Amino acid sequence: MKKWLFLGTFGLFLAFSCQEKKSTTTEKKVDTTAKKIITAPKEQTQLIANDATAILARKEVPILCYHNIKDFAASAGEMTKTYTVKPALFAEQMKALSDAGYHSILPDQLYDYLVYNKALPEKPVMITFDDTRGEQYSIGAAEMKKNNFKGVFFVMTVSINRPNYLSKEDIKALSDSGHSIAAHTWDHHMVTKYAGEDWNTQLVKPKAKLEEIIGKPINYFAYPFGLWNKEAIPEIKKSGYKMAFILSTKRDSIEPLFTIRRMIVSGTWSTPRMMEAMDATFKNAK
């Protein structure tokens, strides 16, 4: 009798032990599977950049270029009249763009649109300023704010902190409020004349100085007078710029990102004339 009791008890013990082992093994499998799911890497979509042909096929975005925003006399010279827009007229033009349904965009958005086919807001326009004049901040940025616009300020660094020009504080404030700061050389010498150390003086050092002021990368550049040559583009790329802006001449078929077109807004134009000129210049505009 004792023998049979012993065997029965031992059998129950083995059965119980097997159940425990089976249960433990199953739990380990679940844990292992769960761990694999948690640590599995997420799939990432790799963006493919457009080539020059595809970039040129994209509809152009209207890009306006302003210089001085101040009053001038009727007797002023032709250069002054061409490069200077009166404050009241500038305010009128900003309102006209807003009323027509335009939305301002910045260079990062334009780059992503051209290179990666990313979407832009309906009726995009880019508003840019050259030469670092102080009224671009005191008048230009103030008027743009009324219409919920942001602009691009191409700065020549030799002028920073000079009377009637942007100060470091102005440039930082523009950047902090959502405008884009970009480079326009050190002292506005034509890129077509550069040699030797000029590339460092006019491209590399201004980029570094502006980055120090705003604490952000400077990725965009505007050619003085809109003049460029093929020899300049490798140097601009080497200096770390992603795009460069000319004026309203033809884009280069090989390097369209470094020949982005802009249109100077003349101080002799009425607001309707400015809108007509923009439409005519960028006929295939988005």
Side-chain angles (χ1 to χ4, degrees), residues 163-196:
N164 302 319
Y165 287 90
L166 295 175
S167 66
K168 287 184 178 180
E169 292 74 20
D170 294 338
I171 294 167
K172 183 70 163 62
L174 285 167
S175 176
D176 288 347
S177 59
H179 298 282
S180 180
I181 304 300
H184 197 38
T185 74
W186 174 57
D187 64 353
H188 212 263
H189 271 59
M190 286 185 288
V191 168
T192 54
K193 304 287 187 182
Y194 293 173

Side-chain angles (χ1 to χ4, degrees), residues 223 233 236-237 241-244 246 255-260:
Y223 301 93
I233 293 176
I236 294 169
K237 288 181 179 180
Y241 297 100
K242 293 165 64 175
M243 288 194 305
I246 59 174
E255 297 286 2
L257 287 179
F258 291 86
T259 50
I260 302 289

Side-chain angles (χ1 to χ4, degrees), residues 2-17:
K2 287 183 179 179
K3 182 178 179 182
W4 287 110
L5 283 172
F6 172 78
L7 290 173
T9 304
F10 184 72
L12 287 171
F13 173 78
L14 286 176
F16 182 78
S17 299

Side-chain angles (χ1 to χ4, degrees), residues 40-283:
K42 294 180 180 178
E43 291 184 6
Q44 295 182 351
T45 303
Q46 186 175 359
L47 295 174
I48 300 174
N50 285 332
D51 60 14
T53 302
I55 290 169
L56 288 167
R58 305 287 281 161
K59 288 183 178 180
E60 285 187 89
V61 171
I63 305 178
L64 306 178
C65 176
Y66 290 92
H67 289 78
N68 303 325
I69 307 174
K70 62 181 182 180
D71 288 312
F72 57 87
S75 58
E78 287 305 310
M79 288 291 286
T80 297
K81 290 179 179 179
T82 298
Y83 287 92
T84 307
V85 174
K86 293 181 178 181
L89 186 59
F90 180 81
E92 189 179 283
Q93 291 171 357
M94 294 300 102
K95 186 176 186 305
L97 288 169
S98 180
D99 290 347
Y102 282 93
H103 299 85
S104 65
I105 66 165
L106 296 177
D108 283 343
Q109 292 170 277
L110 181 64
Y111 181 87
D112 286 342
Y113 163 74
L114 293 173
V115 178
Y116 297 118
N117 300 325
K118 290 193 177 181
L120 290 177
E122 186 180 2
K123 298 189 75 170
V125 64
M126 188 180 291
I127 304 163
T128 73
F129 301 86
D130 285 7
D131 298 353
T132 330
R133 302 294 303 191
E135 69 268 10
Q136 295 171 1
Y137 175 61
S138 59
I139 300 172
E143 289 299 333
M144 283 193 292
K145 185 176 181 180
K146 293 176 185 178
N147 298 282
N148 200 30
F149 289 158
K150 299 296 182 185
V152 188
F153 295 80
F154 288 102
V155 176
M156 53 180 186
T157 51
V158 71
S159 301
I160 297 173
N161 290 333
R162 288 186 177 182
N164 302 319
Y165 287 90
L166 295 175
S167 66
K168 287 184 178 180
E169 292 74 20
D170 294 338
I171 294 167
K172 183 70 163 62
L174 285 167
S175 176
D176 288 347
S177 59
H179 298 282
S180 180
I181 304 300
H184 197 38
T185 74
W186 174 57
D187 64 353
H188 212 263
H189 271 59
M190 286 185 288
V191 168
T192 54
K193 304 287 187 182
Y194 293 173
E197 184 60 20
D198 291 336
W199 302 110
N200 187 52
T201 300
Q202 302 289 354
L203 298 179
V204 178
K205 288 183 177 179
K207 184 178 191 295
K209 184 168 186 175
L210 291 172
E211 288 175 340
E212 181 183 354
I213 292 171
I214 68 171
K216 301 172 188 174
I218 299 294
N219 293 322
Y220 306 104
F221 174 81
Y223 301 93
F225 311 103
L227 299 175
W228 65 281
N229 57 16
K230 293 183 185 297
E231 291 74 23
I233 293 176
E235 296 292 339
I236 294 169
K237 288 181 179 180
K238 191 194 306 179
S239 300
Y241 297 100
K242 293 165 64 175
M243 288 194 305
F245 293 75
I246 59 174
L247 292 174
S248 53
T249 53
K250 188 177 180 181
R251 293 176 292 170
D252 185 63
S253 61
I254 299 171
E255 297 286 2
L257 287 179
F258 291 86
T259 50
I260 302 289
R261 299 198 315 140
R262 300 184 295 161
M263 181 191 85
I264 291 178
V265 179
S266 173
T268 64
W269 293 346
S270 65
T271 296
R273 174 73 181 90
M274 183 276 287
M275 300 291 280
E276 289 170 5
M278 184 174 71
D279 291 341
T281 302
F282 301 97
K283 288 179 181 178

